[in-house]
C-alpha cells in the first residue's frame, strides 16, 4: 500500500528539479543561439538524448522518480521557451 503523503513531499522535489533543468538548458541554448539558432536546438537535443538513458533508470528508485518527473518537465519547458525566444 502506498503512502498518500509521499506525493506532497515529492512535488517540491519535482518543482525544484524542473526549475533547475529549465533554467540551465534555456541559458545554455540562448548562448548557443548567439552563434546559430539551429546549433542551439541541435546541441540541446544531444544533451537531453545523452542524459535520457541514465535519467530513465532512476524512475525505478522511489525518491529519484520525482526528480525525473521534474527534469522531464523542465526539459520540455526549456525547449518551448528556447523556441519562443530564438525564433
Amino acid at each position: 500500500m502506498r503512502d498518500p503523503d509521499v506525493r506532497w513531499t515529492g512535488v517540491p522535489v519535482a518543482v525544484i528539479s524542473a526549475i533547475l533543468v529549465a533554467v540551465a538548458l534555456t541559458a545554455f541554448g540562448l548562448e548557443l543561439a548567439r552563434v546559430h539558432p539551429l546549433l542551439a536546438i541541435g546541441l540541446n537535443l544531444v544533451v537531453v538524448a545523452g542524459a535520457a538513458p541514465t535519467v530513465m533508470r532512476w524512475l525505478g528508485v522511489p525518491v529519484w522518480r520525482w526528480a525525473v518527473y521534474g527534469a522531464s518537465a523542465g526539459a520540455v519547458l526549456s525547449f518551448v521557451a528556447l523556441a519562443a525566444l530564438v525564433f
Side-chain angles (χ1 to χ4, degrees):
M1 194 154 65
R2 292 185 178 215
D3 186 8
D5 293 331
V6 171
R7 92 177 127 220
W8 300 115
T9 57
V11 170
V13 172
V15 169
I16 290 169
S17 64
I19 291 169
L20 288 174
V21 168
V23 168
L25 283 177
T26 304
F28 180 65
L30 286 175
E31 289 302 314
L32 286 173
R34 295 169 91 190
V35 176
H36 196 279
L38 293 178
L39 180 67
I41 298 292
L43 281 179
N44 267 345
L45 285 173
V46 169
V47 167
V48 170
T54 300
V55 171
M56 293 309 283
R57 262 186 260 141
W58 292 342
L59 271 175
V61 181
V63 174
W64 282 103
R65 73 172 164 214
W66 291 100
V68 171
Y69 296 152
S72 301
V76 170
L77 288 173
S78 171
F79 283 118
V80 170
L82 191 60
L85 292 171
V86 171
F87 296 110

